[in-house]
């Protein structure tokens, strides 16, 4: 059943679309989900922590939802910041189709769904919000961070939610060791929200390879 994992490019799970409601303190979204995408039945607890406790963007600029799935992060920020371009990036083609459908249904014209290699090479993001796929393994995760933290504006921030029991603290240490200034923004219900910044010298930029 490996082909049905949400982090594969073309899930083989039989399509079974359903509607869910994402209710946050400031917004409620009716979203379509499907088999073969992350947390299709309800909003993932880590994603909820991120959406309810991460701060607004520190600087202006496009917003990136890295590993967007069916789009709860991208669509929430597109609703909160209707004048900002919001990109949802994922390797899962079914997830990208759902993000596009949900954006259309919500009449959010500021959302763009894209595969990692389809993001313009010169696009710089003001903010990244992500519930990263820790379970894909350290090698893939590290490659993702090198690639996408290098796409942040110099004063930009990436807000990453990671479960404490899945190595949030060691992940933060790795980011700092790699030269990405990273702090724990807050801890809620066993999840850490980490705030990471690009390397001061820009050495982390690697836009030519990696995955979402």
């Amino acid at each position: 059943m490996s082909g049905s994992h949400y982090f594969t490019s073309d899930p083989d799970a039989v399509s079974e679309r359903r509607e869910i409601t994402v209710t946050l303190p400031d917004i409620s979204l009716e979203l379509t989900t499907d088999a073969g995408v992350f947390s299709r039945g309800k909003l993932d607890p880590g994603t909820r922590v991120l959406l309810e406790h991460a701060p607004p963007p520190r600087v202006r600029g496009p917003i990136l939802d890295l590993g967007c799935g069916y789009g709860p992060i991208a669509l929430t920020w597109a609703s909160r910041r209707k004048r900002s371009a919001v990109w949802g990036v994922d390797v899962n083609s079914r997830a990208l189709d759902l993000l596009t459908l949900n954006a259309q249904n919500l009449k959010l014209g500021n959302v763009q769904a894209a595969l990692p290699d389809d993001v313009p090479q010169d696009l710089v993001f003001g903010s990244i919000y992500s519930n990263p796929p820790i379970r894909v393994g350290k090698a893939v995760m590290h490659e993702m961070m090198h690639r996408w933290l290098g796409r942040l504006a110099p004063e930009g921030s990436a807000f990453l939610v990671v479960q404490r029991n899945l190595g949030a603290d060691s992940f933060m240490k790795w980011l700092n060791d790699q030269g990405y200034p990273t702090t724990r923004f807050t801890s809620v219900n066993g999840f850490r929200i980490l705030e990471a910044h690009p390397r001061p010298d820009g050495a982390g930029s690697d836009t030519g390879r990696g995955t979402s």
Side-chain angles (χ1 to χ4, degrees):
M1 293 294 291
S2 61
S4 65
H5 287 318
Y6 64 86
F7 46 79
T8 60
S9 60
D10 188 17
D12 63 10
V14 176
S15 178
E16 187 183 349
R17 288 188 173 183
R18 64 174 64 178
E19 308 302 315
I20 68 168
T21 302
V22 172
T23 302
L24 300 167
D26 62 328
I27 198 167
S28 181
L29 303 173
E30 299 292 331
L31 303 180
T32 300
T33 73
D34 202 347
V37 300
F38 176 62
S39 195
R40 69 170 181 140
K42 63 179 182 179
L43 185 65
D44 174 75
T47 300
R48 178 174 295 280
V49 167
L50 184 71
L51 292 176
E52 292 185 354
H53 297 278
R58 306 287 198 194
V59 298
R60 292 184 179 181
I63 298 169
L64 171 63
D65 173 3
L66 181 58
C68 62
Y70 56 88
I73 296 174
L75 297 164
T76 295
W77 282 109
S79 299
R80 290 171 172 170
R81 294 289 186 273
K82 288 188 169 66
R83 295 185 180 181
S84 295
V86 179
W87 287 73
V89 170
D90 208 299
V91 298
N92 185 324
S93 58
R94 187 175 294 180
L96 295 177
D97 289 343
L98 289 168
L99 173 58
T100 299
L101 173 65
N102 286 323
Q104 291 172 346
N105 289 342
L106 293 169
K107 296 180 171 54
L108 293 171
N110 55 331
V111 176
Q112 177 67 51
L115 294 166
D117 289 341
D118 292 340
V119 178
Q121 293 291 318
D122 59 351
L123 183 61
V124 175
F125 296 97
S127 305
I128 297 173
Y129 292 88
S130 181
N131 183 351
I134 294 292
R135 296 184 188 277
V136 299
K138 289 184 179 180
V140 175
M141 277 292 296
H142 292 173
E143 191 175 13
M144 286 174 59
M145 293 301 107
H146 282 306
R147 180 176 190 176
W148 297 102
L149 293 182
R151 303 290 293 268
L152 277 170
E155 301 300 322
S157 296
F159 297 98
L160 313 169
V161 63
V162 182
Q163 193 169 354
R164 177 177 57 82
N165 292 338
L166 291 180
D169 294 339
S170 61
F171 183 48
M172 182 174 71
K173 182 180 184 301
W174 179 84
L175 288 166
N176 278 298
D177 288 347
Q178 296 297 308
Y180 304 105
T182 303
T183 57
R184 185 192 306 169
F185 177 78
T186 192
S187 296
V188 181
N189 297 333
F191 291 91
R192 314 283 205 219
I193 296 179
L194 308 180
E195 181 173 3
H197 301 274
R199 288 174 173 172
D201 59 3
S205 180
D206 183 2
T207 58
R209 61 184 180 87
T211 77
S212 77

